[in-house]
Each structure stands twice: as C-alpha cells, then as structure tokens.
C-alpha cells in the first residue's frame, strides 16, 4: 500500500511484524529509547508528511511505559504533519477500570482516552463512549469460532459455559454463532457457615457453629422430634373425648391454670388438626354448611397414582462447595472464620487462659468485625462488568477463611465444554469452573478460551497442572514470553494479525469494515 506508515511500539513487535508481512510492507523506522532516569524518548526517522500513520501498541507487563510511549509517538507524528493518526491497540490499557468501583475511585480508562485525544489521535480502539473520534471495536469471536470449527472434534455437540454471570453476553454470542447450547456458572459466599464459634446446644453440650456433623445430627434430631410430636397430636386428637386423664389440669410453671380454647367441641387439640379430619363435627350454629361439591380435604387412597415432579430442568442445576478456589466434597470441614465469639468470651478466665485479645478493642475482636474485613461477594458473581470484577472475584475465591457455593446451570454430561471469557489473568475462577463441569457436571473435555492471555504470576503454570483443563486457547493480543510458550503443553495461541491487517487496509482505502464482524471472515 502506498502512503501508509505502520509504526511499532516496544510492547509487541512480533505482532507488528506479522501485520506488515500480511500487508507486504516494512515497519516504519523510529528510535525508541529511555534516559537514565526512566524518561521515554521517541524520534521518527522517516517522512510521514500527508500519509496515513498507524501506531500499533498493545498492553504488556510494563503497562505504564507502553502508555507513555504511545502518547509520545502520537504527539511526534502529529508534529511531523501526518495526514491521519490511528492507534491500533489489540489490548486496551486500563480496560478493567472502565467503571467506578468505589465512591472515591477513578474511571482510569476514560482518563486514558482523554490523553489519547489530547495527544492527537484521530482514530482509536474501544471504549467507544470515551472518545469523540471514530472508534472501531474489533472482535476476536470470528477467529475463535473458525478455530473451533476446524480443530475441535465433535464441536457440534459442545456446550459454551460462562464462568460468571457478567460474561453471559459474550458466551451467548459465541453459542449463537456456533448454534450450540450454553450454560452459566455462579458463585456465592456460603453465609450459613459462621466458623468455629462455640455455643451451648439444647442438651447442654458445647458444639461448633457451622460444624457440618453437628448440623446434620441436629437436623435429623429435629425431624424426629417433629414426627413424634405430630403422631402424638394425632393420637390425642382421636382419643381426646374418651381417654383423657382424670383430674388432669393444664397449668403453667407457677401452678396457675391455663385456659384453652374450645374448638369443634374438643379441648386441648389444635384447630388445624381437627380441620384436617373429615369426620370432625361442629355444632350447627358454629359454621355455615359446606356443599359436597367443595370438600375440605382431598383424600388420596393407597391405590391412587401419585404425581411426581419430573421437570428435566431441575437436573441441569448442579451445586458444589469451593474452599480456597478448589472443589471439595460435601463432607469436607468448613474453613475457620474466627476463634472468638460471645459464647467463648463468657467462659471463666481460668478455663480459657490468658487471651491474646485483651489489649485490643472489643469491637475489633468480635465476630462482626472479623466478618466485615472479609471481602463481600457482591462483585464476585458478576455485576454486569466482568472485567472490572476480576480482581475482587479472585481475591474472594482464594480467601483461606471463606467458603463458596458454586452452581452450574446447564447439562454438560459427556460433552465438550468451552469456558469462555474476555481475558485470563488470575486462574482461580478458571480452575474452579473447570473442576465443577468435570467433577460435578461430568464433562469429558474442557477448553478454556479467552481473547487476552495476560497470565499474571504463575496462573499459566497452575492451569497446566489442573487435570480438569485440557486446552488453554488465547489470541496473541497480549505478548507472552517465548519461554512460557515453549514449556506449555496446553497453550494454543491464535493469531489476529490477519484481522488487524485487513482492518488497516480497509481503513486506508475508505472501505467498510463490517465484514470483519461476520463469522465467514477467516
């Protein structure tokens, strides 16, 4: 192409070279260097007067340096009389801060958009609402869908799953493009688990609040007591007229008689219990006659068929327990929230011994103060902004003193599952979702698919060690070190150089780019 210059920033030179190879041009020369104090210096070493300039700069592990380098390059091209300046950013810096996360927070993505506009950019990537200039938000979904069709065996029977409700829109879009079913995973903090606080039960024994063994035994005991009380009430109801104890008088603990209301001519029996009996009689003046067409109780004989609840959708909802980001069995002990409670503090000092909280504020050592320091799960299950809640989600799911309930909605048994999201930074939610669809849902193979592969810390290595994950599929929008690529067995990187090269070509010639959003483009 004539009268086009493509400049490469220092963030992702491999991607820029692939774009230029597609367009059969050479990257324009520019000198990028830093002073001893860390300042960035940019020098354009070719003429760009009255030419269309495209500056390709993606996010990287040194994001602030990449941002300043891009702004200086735009300003340098503007001062060199370029005809137009277009910023090509495969990964938009500060995209996770596109909304206010707290009352005193900043919308950093909008600030970065304003900096680009002041620097002189005339065409930019997302987010569209922050720019006054034209914006083309390219999507990697057609590239991902084409790879699935060509490389995944049996993909027509697969299921696309969102690991949080915030990403359901992109999941349903991919599912519609491939004509597949989709599912959703939600994760909420278990509020019934209150830690190992000790309290005194009804039998005078000490028990732990939140102890699963005690909860099960206590629930069974309550059910047995309820059944015994019901049987006793029924027997008393049948024999109340003829087998009452002689001289028996209901009284309170102070010896005072307790008056009881007479219902249907019987004493001491619940009105509801009598109303359930068809043969119960009432005085003629106590109620109006009820016609036979409207019986009080619909009795069912032993030989009549009983309708059962056979809704198939109920079988597609699966729940599990998450502790420190991993799926555990139902009998696994709950994590510890606090070692202090009001019941413990009421015990004698010689029993408990010296307390480590004597010098602290009582409010600081209370249970509510402890729980208030634990992150809330409001942003954990998705708040409509899947990107902005990622860090809070990972922090909550890996908290050592919190337990979560994970729910899978959708049938994945015996099927291939595509867990889809916009980026892979931390791995906690990915591993939890993969373990849920495999160990609880019965999926046979799991693909973790995302547009941007950030792989912060050792997330890629942890996903490699996860037995429930078979493949990790990302695009090359974000640079990944060659060492990590070489040592990875599950990582698959899709190139978007063809997509970006075609967008640059169409933009230069003034052609429509709507074809790039269609799934027929490859």
């Amino acid at each position: 192409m004539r009268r086009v210059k493509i400049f490469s920033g220092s963030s992702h030179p491999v991607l820029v070279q692939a774009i230029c190879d597609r367009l059969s041009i050479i990257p324009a020369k520019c000198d990028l260097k830093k002073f001893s104090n860390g300042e960035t210096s940019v020098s354009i070493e070719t003429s760009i007067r009255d030419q269309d300039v495209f500056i390709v700069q993606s996010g990287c592990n040194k994001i602030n340096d990449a941002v300043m380098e891009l702004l200086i390059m735009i300003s340098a091209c503007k001062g060199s009389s370029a005809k137009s300046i277009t910023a090509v950013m495969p990964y938009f810096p500060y995209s996770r801060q596109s909304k206010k996360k707290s009352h005193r927070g900043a919308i950093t993505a909008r600030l970065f958009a304003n900096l680009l506009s002041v620097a002189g950019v005339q065409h930019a990537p997302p987010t569209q609402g922050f720019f006054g200039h034209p914006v083309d938000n390219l999507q990697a979904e057609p590239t991902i869908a084409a790879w699935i069709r060509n490389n995944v065996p049996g993909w027509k029977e697969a299921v696309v799953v969102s690991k949080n409700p915030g990403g359901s829109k992109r999941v349903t879009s991919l599912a519609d493009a491939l004509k597949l079913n989709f599912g959703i995973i939600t994760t909420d903090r278990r509020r019934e688990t209150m830690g190992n606080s000790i309290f005194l039960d009804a039998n005078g024994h000490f028990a732990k609040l939140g102890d699963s063994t005690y909860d099960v035994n206590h629930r069974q005991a309550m059910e047995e007591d309820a059944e015994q009380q019901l049987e006793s009430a029924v027997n008393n109801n049948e024999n109340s007229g003829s087998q009452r104890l002689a001289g028996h008088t209901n009284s309170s603990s102070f010896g005072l008689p307790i008056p009881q209301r007479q219902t249907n001519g019987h004493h001491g029996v619940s009105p509801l219990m009598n109303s359930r009996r068809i043969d119960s009689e009432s005085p003629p003046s106590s109620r109006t006659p009820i016609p036979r067409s409207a019986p009080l109780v619909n009795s069912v004989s032993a030989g009549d068929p009983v309708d059962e609840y056979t809704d198939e959708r109920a079988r597609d909802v699966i729940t599990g327990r998450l502790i420190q980001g991993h799926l555990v069995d139902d009998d696994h002990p709950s994590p510890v929230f606090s070692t202090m409670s009001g019941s413990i503090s009421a015990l004698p000092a010689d029993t408990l011994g010296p307390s480590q909280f004597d010098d602290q504020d009582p409010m600081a050592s209370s249970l509510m103060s402890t729980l208030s320091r634990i992150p809330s799960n409001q942003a954990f299950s998705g708040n409509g902004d899947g990107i902005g809640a990622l860090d809070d989600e990972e922090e909550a799911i890996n908290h050592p003193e919190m337990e979560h309930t994970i729910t899978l909605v959708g049938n994945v048994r015996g099927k291939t599952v595509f867990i889809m999201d916009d980026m892979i930074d931390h791995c906690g939610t990915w591993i939890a979702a993969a373990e849920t669809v495999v160990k609880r849902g019965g999926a046979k193979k799991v693909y973790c698919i995302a547009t941007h592969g950030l792989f912060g810390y050792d997330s890629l290595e942890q996903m490699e060690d996860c037995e429930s994950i078979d493949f990790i599929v990302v695009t090359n929008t974000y640079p990944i070190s060659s060492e990590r690529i070489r040592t990875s067995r599950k990582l698959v990187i899709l190139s978007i150089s063809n997509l970006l090269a075609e967008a640059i070509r169409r933009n230069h010639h003034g052609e429509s780019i709507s074809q790039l959003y269609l799934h027929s483009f490859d």
Side-chain angles (χ1 to χ4, degrees):
M1 295 186 300
R2 299 182 58 184
R3 309 193 68 79
V4 173
K5 297 294 183 182
I6 298 179
F7 290 94
S8 172
S10 60
S11 63
H12 207 337
V14 177
L15 177 60
V16 178
Q17 185 61 50
I19 294 173
C20 293
D21 293 341
R22 289 277 186 175
L23 298 174
S24 300
I25 60 176
I26 301 175
K29 294 181 179 181
C30 64
D31 184 21
L32 304 176
K33 62 181 181 180
K34 288 184 176 294
F35 295 110
S36 58
N37 61 351
E39 293 181 2
T40 301
S41 174
V42 174
S43 177
I44 305 298
E45 298 183 349
T46 184
S47 176
I48 58 175
R49 183 178 295 274
D50 200 27
Q51 296 191 26
D52 293 331
V53 173
F54 295 88
I55 304 175
V56 183
Q57 181 80 310
S58 184
C60 61
N61 53 356
K62 298 181 179 179
I63 191 68
N64 293 326
D65 291 341
V67 166
M68 285 304 303
E69 187 177 87
L70 174 61
L71 296 174
I72 297 174
M73 291 179 70
I74 293 173
S75 179
C77 292
K78 181 180 179 181
S80 300
S81 302
K83 179 181 178 180
S84 65
I85 303 173
T86 302
V88 181
M89 287 178 281
Y91 173 76
F92 188 77
Y94 294 98
S95 59
R96 284 187 283 188
Q97 303 184 48
S98 59
K99 291 184 179 180
K100 226 177 185 182
K101 299 175 61 177
S102 62
H103 296 294
R104 289 179 288 273
I107 307 178
T108 314
R110 182 177 62 185
L111 173 62
F112 178 54
N114 294 336
L115 292 175
L116 291 175
S117 299
V118 172
V121 72
Q122 299 171 352
H123 199 220
T127 301
Q128 297 99 319
F130 296 156
F131 289 92
H133 300 291
V135 174
D136 294 326
N137 185 14
L138 301 178
Q139 299 178 0
E141 181 182 297
T143 303
I144 296 175
W147 181 87
I148 291 176
R149 293 191 187 99
N150 298 327
N151 296 274
V152 179
W155 65 270
K156 293 184 179 180
E157 303 298 328
V159 179
V160 188
V161 175
S162 173
K163 66 184 184 71
N164 53 46
S168 58
K169 184 177 181 180
R170 67 179 66 92
V171 165
T172 54
S173 177
L174 181 62
D176 292 341
L178 297 175
K179 295 181 175 58
L180 300 177
N181 294 329
F182 68 95
I184 297 177
I185 292 177
T186 61
T187 315
D188 299 298
R189 192 176 69 188
R190 291 173 63 94
R191 297 186 180 276
E192 63 271 17
T193 302
M194 299 298 294
N196 287 343
S197 300
I198 298 179
F199 68 99
L200 198 65
D201 61 8
N203 298 324
H205 302 292
F206 284 102
K208 293 181 180 180
L209 188 63
D211 190 349
S212 58
T213 303
Y214 173 80
D215 292 341
V216 173
N217 296 335
H218 182 66
R219 189 184 303 110
Q220 293 177 354
M222 292 293 293
E223 292 177 356
E224 293 176 358
D225 292 343
E227 293 177 357
Q228 293 177 0
Q229 292 177 6
L230 180 60
E231 294 177 359
S232 176
V234 172
N235 294 333
N236 291 336
N237 181 31
E238 293 177 352
N239 303 324
S240 59
S242 59
Q243 299 181 3
R244 297 186 60 186
L245 296 177
H248 175 72
T249 304
N250 293 320
S251 61
S252 64
S253 59
F254 298 98
L256 299 177
I258 300 178
Q260 292 197 352
R261 184 175 56 183
Q262 180 176 353
T263 306
N264 293 343
H266 299 285
H267 291 276
V269 183
S270 171
L272 293 178
M273 199 62 66
N274 275 330
S275 65
R276 293 176 58 89
R277 295 180 53 84
I278 301 177
D279 56 351
S280 61
E281 299 179 357
S282 302
S285 59
S286 62
R287 67 174 72 181
T288 57
I290 298 178
R292 294 182 179 270
S293 59
L296 287 175
V297 178
N298 293 327
S299 61
V300 180
S301 61
D304 295 340
V306 180
D307 295 334
E308 296 182 356
Y309 184 75
T310 58
D311 193 350
E312 296 294 336
R313 293 174 295 180
R315 303 179 182 178
D316 296 341
V317 179
I318 302 173
T319 60
R321 297 175 59 200
L322 286 181
I323 296 179
Q324 294 188 14
H326 291 279
L327 195 69
V328 298
D329 297 331
D330 293 337
D331 57 352
H332 191 278
S334 299
V336 179
F337 274 9
S338 173
T339 58
M340 287 288 293
S341 68
S343 299
I344 288 182
S345 59
L347 295 177
D350 55 353
T351 302
L352 292 177
S355 174
Q356 58 179 332
F357 299 95
D358 290 341
D359 298 333
Q360 296 184 8
D361 184 7
M363 286 300 296
S365 61
S366 65
L367 177 62
M368 294 305 298
S369 298
T370 303
L371 293 178
S372 65
R373 293 194 295 267
I374 299 177
S376 173
N377 66 334
Q378 180 177 1
F380 179 49
S381 295
N383 56 357
D385 181 18
I387 297 178
L390 279 178
D391 293 337
D392 297 337
E393 183 177 352
E394 293 290 341
E395 183 180 356
I397 200 174
N398 292 312
H399 199 284
E401 298 181 354
M402 293 179 63
E403 179 180 343
H404 295 84
T405 299
I406 187 166
T407 304
L408 168 64
V409 182
N411 183 16
V412 298
R413 185 166 300 277
K415 300 180 181 180
T416 300
V417 174
F418 303 134
I419 302 179
M420 181 72 181
D421 209 347
D422 56 348
M423 68 174 63
I424 302 178
D425 189 0
H426 303 286
C427 63
T429 55
W430 291 92
I431 294 177
E435 291 180 350
T436 301
V437 298
V438 172
K439 297 180 180 180
R440 290 301 180 96
K444 65 178 182 180
K445 189 172 292 187
V446 174
Y447 290 77
C448 293
I449 304 175
T451 303
H452 311 292
L454 278 64
F455 298 117
Y457 303 103
D458 59 344
S459 57
L460 179 58
E461 290 73 18
Q462 292 186 34
M463 296 179 72
E464 287 278 344
D465 297 336
C466 179
E467 298 179 354
S468 301
I469 298 177
D470 296 282
F471 293 96
I472 306 169
V473 183
V474 297
T475 66
N476 61 343
T477 57
Y478 195 91
I480 304 175
S481 64
S482 58
E483 178 66 23
R484 303 183 80 177
I485 296 175
R486 184 170 58 255
T487 58
S488 176
R489 298 175 289 104
K490 302 178 181 180
L491 183 61
V492 178
I493 300 178
L494 309 181
S495 178
I496 61 167
S497 58
N498 189 22
L499 175 65
L500 297 178
E502 184 65 16
I504 291 174
R505 188 194 68 81
R506 289 173 178 264
N507 182 272
H508 172 67
H509 292 291
E511 300 176 7
S512 173
I513 66 169
S514 59
Q515 293 294 325
L516 303 183
Y517 297 93
L518 302 179
H519 286 267
S520 59
F521 174 75
D522 186 6

